[in-house]
Amino acid sequence: MDTWPWPRKLNVHYEEVKRESDSWFFAFRPFTPKSLAAFERCDFAKLTCLGGNSASKEEIRVGCDLMNLFFLIDEYTDRQPREVVQTTCDIVLDALNNPEKPRPEGEILVGSVAQLFWQNAIKHSTPEARRFFMKTFSLYLDSVIVQADDRDKNYVRTIQEYIDMRRDNIGLRPSLFIGTMKLDMPAPAWDHQYLLDLENIISDFNLFDNDMVSFNKEQASDDAECNIVTVIMHSLKTDYLGAIEWIVREHKRLQRVFLELAVSLPQRLRDDGVEVTPRTEEQLGLYIEHMAQWPRANKQWSFESGRYFGDKGLEIQETRLVRKLPKRTSDDNKLGLPQANVIITIPTVEVC
């Protein structure tokens, strides 16, 4: 990310909205002591305010509530069998599609949280933005079910299979709702393949970065099958550093593609027969700007929060040195993957 043109910037409403959203979420009493500790380490409000650094207070509040909903869905689906995950995702989707319908008595908490999140989001967003969110959030839920199915079958995907699934699973596209709630771009522009290509690149950045920083924790608990590092080691028969080098090269290549496509997008759409008015071109620019903030936001949040590295994140960002965690359960190396050294130095990769 050393040449990425978008610097770190934190939304001015961070502190205030974090308090409001956390207070709203805590009122549901969603936490066990363990999940509360995990939640407090994460500081999802900071991720929201780094990604939506120019959004209004109302938009950022919706975004923080959305991140809390993501966390809750993850808590309900993590390591659960497919049928349990399917039921949870069906409840969430029903709550979003029926924001005024009373939730059934005895239903798990995620239905009420999703419904109240969406009731507030509707007040601050355009119909086109809501349509885009519902489409992308449904794809996210589908991918959560697919991930559970892979986990049940102990299936390790090929690199491209994994990227195709994880693009939706990482939740980046519905998160773009945070900074695009006021946009009313026509569907032919919003749904065009060129814009999807840009969204996919940003999603790839996030999945690469998340999987790299989470790999240490996951390998320690024998839960690293759904991780790009594992997938590359398995597919290419390489070691940890070989996988990281592959990711960094692909990251740099995609950065170049994104910058080239972003600059030429309005004309490419016109060449493809899409009517691009001055207002649509302005909104495309705002959307691209919002997309481009997320790779930096995710990278910084990974080190500034305690989700992956505890209180050592900023030190690790500087030293590029990660101490490998010991196995928490079994040393069973189910996939026969090469083992990393006790101390892992993140390599500097030269890219032409």
Side-chain angles (χ1 to χ4, degrees), residues 79-125:
R79 303 197 188 190
Q80 295 298 319
R82 186 191 190 282
E83 59 268 22
V84 174
V85 174
Q86 177 80 61
T87 299
T88 300
C89 292
D90 287 347
I91 289 171
V92 174
L93 196 57
D94 181 72
L96 295 175
N97 282 321
N98 301 282
E100 301 301 329
K101 184 180 81 172
R103 303 311 305 163
E105 186 175 350
E107 183 181 77
I108 58 174
L109 187 61
V110 70
S112 296
V113 174
Q115 187 176 63
L116 290 176
F117 148 74
W118 193 233
Q119 286 176 3
N120 185 47
I122 288 171
K123 300 174 186 177
H124 303 291
S125 55

Coordinates of all heavy atoms in Angstrom, one line a residue, residues 79-125:
R79 N -18.2 -21.5 12.7 CA -18.0 -22.9 13.0 C -19.3 -23.7 13.2 O -19.3 -24.9 13.7 CB -17.2 -23.1 14.3 CG -15.8 -22.4 14.2 CD -14.9 -23.0 15.2 NE -13.6 -22.2 15.2 CZ -12.6 -22.5 15.9 NH1 -12.5 -23.7 16.6 NH2 -11.5 -21.8 15.9
Q80 N -20.5 -23.2 12.8 CA -21.7 -23.9 12.9 C -21.9 -24.7 11.6 O -21.4 -24.3 10.5 CB -22.9 -22.9 13.0 CG -22.8 -22.1 14.3 CD -22.9 -23.0 15.5 OE1 -23.7 -24.0 15.5 NE2 -22.1 -22.8 16.6
P81 N -22.7 -25.8 11.7 CA -23.0 -26.6 10.5 C -23.9 -25.8 9.5 O -24.6 -24.8 9.9 CB -23.7 -27.8 11.0 CG -24.2 -27.4 12.4 CD -23.3 -26.4 12.9
R82 N -23.9 -26.3 8.3 CA -24.6 -25.6 7.2 C -26.1 -25.3 7.5 O -26.6 -24.2 7.3 CB -24.5 -26.3 5.9 CG -25.1 -25.6 4.7 CD -25.2 -26.5 3.5 NE -25.6 -25.7 2.3 CZ -26.8 -25.2 2.0 NH1 -27.8 -25.5 2.9 NH2 -27.0 -24.5 0.9
E83 N -26.8 -26.3 8.1 CA -28.2 -26.1 8.3 C -28.5 -25.0 9.4 O -29.4 -24.2 9.2 CB -28.9 -27.4 8.7 CG -28.3 -28.0 10.0 CD -27.2 -29.0 9.7 OE1 -26.6 -28.9 8.6 OE2 -27.0 -29.9 10.6
V84 N -27.6 -24.9 10.3 CA -27.7 -23.8 11.3 C -27.5 -22.4 10.7 O -28.2 -21.4 10.9 CB -26.8 -24.0 12.5 CG1 -26.8 -22.8 13.5 CG2 -27.2 -25.3 13.3
V85 N -26.4 -22.4 9.9 CA -26.0 -21.1 9.2 C -27.2 -20.7 8.2 O -27.5 -19.5 8.1 CB -24.7 -21.3 8.5 CG1 -24.4 -20.1 7.6 CG2 -23.6 -21.6 9.5
Q86 N -27.7 -21.7 7.5 CA -28.8 -21.4 6.6 C -30.0 -20.7 7.3 O -30.6 -19.7 6.9 CB -29.3 -22.7 5.9 CG -30.5 -22.5 5.0 CD -30.1 -21.9 3.7 OE1 -29.3 -22.6 2.9 NE2 -30.7 -20.8 3.3
T87 N -30.4 -21.3 8.5 CA -31.5 -20.8 9.3 C -31.2 -19.3 9.7 O -32.0 -18.4 9.6 CB -31.7 -21.6 10.5 OG1 -32.1 -23.0 10.0 CG2 -32.9 -21.1 11.3
T88 N -30.0 -19.1 10.2 CA -29.6 -17.7 10.7 C -29.7 -16.7 9.5 O -30.2 -15.6 9.7 CB -28.2 -17.8 11.2 OG1 -28.1 -18.7 12.4 CG2 -27.8 -16.4 11.7
C89 N -29.1 -17.1 8.4 CA -29.1 -16.2 7.2 C -30.6 -15.9 6.7 O -30.9 -14.8 6.3 CB -28.3 -16.7 6.1 SG -26.5 -16.7 6.5
D90 N -31.4 -16.9 6.8 CA -32.8 -16.8 6.4 C -33.5 -15.8 7.3 O -34.3 -15.0 6.8 CB -33.5 -18.1 6.4 CG -33.1 -19.0 5.2 OD1 -32.5 -18.6 4.3 OD2 -33.5 -20.2 5.3
I91 N -33.2 -15.8 8.6 CA -33.8 -14.9 9.5 C -33.4 -13.5 9.2 O -34.2 -12.5 9.2 CB -33.4 -15.3 11.0 CG1 -34.1 -16.6 11.4 CG2 -33.7 -14.2 12.0 CD1 -33.6 -17.2 12.7
V92 N -32.1 -13.3 9.0 CA -31.6 -11.9 8.7 C -32.3 -11.4 7.4 O -32.7 -10.2 7.3 CB -30.1 -12.0 8.5 CG1 -29.6 -10.6 8.0 CG2 -29.4 -12.3 9.8
L93 N -32.3 -12.2 6.4 CA -32.9 -11.8 5.1 C -34.4 -11.5 5.2 O -34.9 -10.5 4.7 CB -32.7 -12.8 4.0 CG -32.9 -12.4 2.6 CD1 -31.9 -11.2 2.2 CD2 -32.6 -13.5 1.6
D94 N -35.1 -12.3 6.0 CA -36.5 -12.0 6.2 C -36.7 -10.7 7.0 O -37.6 -9.9 6.7 CB -37.1 -13.1 7.0 CG -38.6 -12.9 7.3 OD1 -39.4 -13.1 6.3 OD2 -39.0 -12.7 8.4
A95 N -35.9 -10.4 7.9 CA -36.0 -9.2 8.7 C -35.7 -7.9 7.8 O -36.4 -6.9 8.0 CB -35.0 -9.2 9.9
L96 N -34.8 -8.0 6.9 CA -34.5 -6.9 6.0 C -35.6 -6.7 5.0 O -36.0 -5.6 4.6 CB -33.2 -7.1 5.3 CG -31.9 -7.2 6.1 CD1 -30.7 -7.5 5.3 CD2 -31.7 -5.9 6.9
N97 N -36.2 -7.8 4.5 CA -37.3 -7.7 3.5 C -38.6 -7.3 4.1 O -39.5 -6.9 3.4 CB -37.4 -9.1 2.8 CG -36.4 -9.3 1.7 OD1 -36.0 -8.4 1.0 ND2 -35.9 -10.5 1.6
N98 N -38.7 -7.5 5.4 CA -40.0 -7.1 6.1 C -39.7 -6.3 7.3 O -39.8 -6.7 8.4 CB -40.7 -8.4 6.5 CG -41.0 -9.3 5.3 OD1 -42.0 -9.1 4.6 ND2 -40.2 -10.4 5.1
P99 N -39.3 -5.0 7.1 CA -38.8 -4.2 8.2 C -39.9 -3.8 9.2 O -39.5 -3.4 10.3 CB -38.2 -3.0 7.5 CG -38.9 -2.9 6.2 CD -39.1 -4.3 5.8
E100 N -41.1 -4.0 8.9 CA -42.2 -3.6 9.8 C -42.9 -4.8 10.4 O -43.7 -4.7 11.3 CB -43.3 -2.7 9.1 CG -42.7 -1.4 8.5 CD -42.1 -0.5 9.5 OE1 -42.5 -0.6 10.7 OE2 -41.1 0.2 9.1
K101 N -42.6 -6.0 10.0 CA -43.2 -7.2 10.5 C -42.7 -7.6 11.9 O -41.5 -7.7 12.0 CB -43.0 -8.4 9.5 CG -43.7 -9.7 9.9 CD -43.5 -10.8 8.9 CE -42.1 -11.4 9.2 NZ -41.9 -12.7 8.3
P102 N -43.6 -7.8 12.8 CA -43.1 -8.2 14.2 C -42.3 -9.5 14.1 O -42.7 -10.4 13.4 CB -44.4 -8.4 15.0 CG -45.4 -7.5 14.3 CD -45.0 -7.6 12.8
R103 N -41.1 -9.5 14.8 CA -40.3 -10.7 14.7 C -41.0 -11.8 15.6 O -41.6 -11.5 16.6 CB -38.9 -10.4 15.2 CG -38.2 -9.3 14.5 CD -38.2 -9.5 13.0 NE -37.7 -10.8 12.6 CZ -38.0 -11.3 11.4 NH1 -38.7 -10.7 10.5 NH2 -37.5 -12.5 11.0
P104 N -40.8 -13.1 15.2 CA -41.5 -14.1 16.0 C -40.9 -14.2 17.4 O -39.7 -14.0 17.6 CB -41.1 -15.4 15.2 CG -40.7 -14.9 13.8 CD -40.2 -13.5 14.0
E105 N -41.8 -14.6 18.3 CA -41.4 -14.7 19.7 C -40.4 -15.9 19.8 O -40.6 -17.0 19.2 CB -42.6 -15.0 20.6 CG -42.3 -15.1 22.1 CD -43.5 -15.3 22.9 OE1 -44.7 -15.2 22.4 OE2 -43.4 -15.5 24.1
G106 N -39.3 -15.7 20.6 CA -38.3 -16.7 20.7 C -37.3 -16.8 19.7 O -36.4 -17.6 19.7
E107 N -37.4 -15.9 18.7 CA -36.4 -15.9 17.6 C -35.0 -15.4 18.1 O -35.0 -14.6 19.0 CB -36.9 -15.0 16.4 CG -35.9 -15.0 15.2 CD -36.5 -14.0 14.2 OE1 -36.3 -12.8 14.3 OE2 -37.1 -14.5 13.2
I108 N -33.9 -15.9 17.5 CA -32.6 -15.5 17.9 C -32.5 -14.0 17.6 O -33.1 -13.4 16.8 CB -31.5 -16.3 17.2 CG1 -31.6 -16.2 15.6 CG2 -31.5 -17.7 17.6 CD1 -30.5 -16.8 14.9
L109 N -31.6 -13.4 18.3 CA -31.5 -11.9 18.4 C -31.2 -11.3 17.1 O -31.6 -10.1 16.8 CB -30.3 -11.6 19.4 CG -30.1 -10.1 19.8 CD1 -31.4 -9.5 20.4 CD2 -28.9 -10.0 20.7
V110 N -30.5 -12.0 16.2 CA -30.0 -11.3 15.0 C -31.1 -10.8 14.1 O -31.0 -9.8 13.4 CB -29.1 -12.4 14.2 CG1 -30.0 -13.5 13.6 CG2 -28.3 -11.7 13.1
G111 N -32.3 -11.4 14.2 CA -33.5 -10.9 13.4 C -33.9 -9.5 13.8 O -34.1 -8.6 13.0
S112 N -34.0 -9.2 15.1 CA -34.4 -7.9 15.6 C -33.3 -6.9 15.3 O -33.6 -5.7 15.0 CB -34.6 -8.0 17.1 OG -35.7 -8.8 17.4
V113 N -32.0 -7.2 15.5 CA -30.9 -6.3 15.2 C -30.9 -5.9 13.7 O -30.8 -4.7 13.4 CB -29.6 -6.9 15.6 CG1 -28.4 -6.0 15.2 CG2 -29.5 -7.1 17.1
A114 N -31.1 -6.9 12.8 CA -31.1 -6.6 11.4 C -32.3 -5.7 11.1 O -32.2 -4.8 10.3 CB -31.2 -7.9 10.6
Q115 N -33.5 -6.0 11.6 CA -34.6 -5.2 11.3 C -34.5 -3.8 11.7 O -34.8 -2.8 11.0 CB -35.9 -5.9 12.0 CG -37.2 -5.2 11.5 CD -38.4 -6.0 12.1 OE1 -38.5 -6.0 13.4 NE2 -39.2 -6.5 11.3
L116 N -34.1 -3.5 13.0 CA -33.9 -2.1 13.5 C -32.8 -1.4 12.7 O -33.0 -0.2 12.5 CB -33.7 -2.1 15.0 CG -34.9 -2.6 15.8 CD1 -34.5 -2.6 17.3 CD2 -36.1 -1.7 15.6
F117 N -31.7 -2.1 12.4 CA -30.7 -1.4 11.6 C -31.3 -0.9 10.3 O -31.1 0.2 9.8 CB -29.6 -2.4 11.3 CG -28.9 -2.2 9.9 CD1 -28.1 -1.2 9.7 CD2 -29.2 -3.1 8.9 CE1 -27.5 -1.0 8.4 CE2 -28.7 -2.9 7.6 CZ -27.8 -1.9 7.4
W118 N -32.1 -1.8 9.6 CA -32.6 -1.5 8.3 C -33.7 -0.4 8.4 O -33.8 0.5 7.5 CB -33.2 -2.7 7.6 CG -33.4 -2.6 6.2 CD1 -34.6 -2.9 5.5 CD2 -32.6 -2.1 5.1 NE1 -34.5 -2.6 4.2 CE2 -33.2 -2.1 3.9 CE3 -31.2 -1.6 5.2 CZ2 -32.6 -1.7 2.7 CZ3 -30.7 -1.2 4.0 CH2 -31.4 -1.3 2.8
Q119 N -34.5 -0.4 9.4 CA -35.5 0.7 9.6 C -34.8 2.1 9.6 O -35.4 3.0 9.0 CB -36.3 0.5 10.9 CG -37.3 -0.7 10.8 CD -38.0 -0.9 12.2 OE1 -37.7 -0.2 13.2 NE2 -38.8 -1.9 12.2
N120 N -33.7 2.2 10.3 CA -33.0 3.4 10.3 C -32.3 3.7 9.0 O -32.3 4.9 8.5 CB -32.0 3.4 11.5 CG -31.3 4.8 11.6 OD1 -31.9 5.8 11.7 ND2 -30.0 4.8 11.7
A121 N -31.7 2.7 8.4 CA -31.1 2.9 7.1 C -32.0 3.4 6.0 O -31.6 4.3 5.2 CB -30.4 1.6 6.6
I122 N -33.2 3.0 6.0 CA -34.2 3.4 5.0 C -34.4 4.9 5.1 O -34.6 5.5 4.0 CB -35.5 2.6 5.2 CG1 -35.3 1.1 4.8 CG2 -36.7 3.2 4.4 CD1 -36.5 0.2 5.2
K123 N -34.4 5.4 6.3 CA -34.7 6.9 6.4 C -33.6 7.8 5.8 O -33.9 8.9 5.5 CB -34.7 7.2 7.9 CG -35.8 6.5 8.7 CD -35.7 6.8 10.2 CE -36.6 6.0 11.0 NZ -36.4 6.3 12.5
H124 N -32.4 7.2 5.6 CA -31.3 8.1 5.1 C -30.7 7.6 3.8 O -29.6 8.0 3.4 CB -30.2 8.0 6.2 CG -30.6 8.4 7.6 ND1 -30.9 9.7 7.9 CD2 -30.8 7.7 8.7 CE1 -31.3 9.8 9.1 NE2 -31.2 8.6 9.7
S125 N -31.5 6.9 3.0 CA -30.9 6.3 1.8 C -31.9 6.4 0.6 O -33.1 6.5 0.8 CB -30.5 4.9 2.0 OG -31.5 4.1 2.5

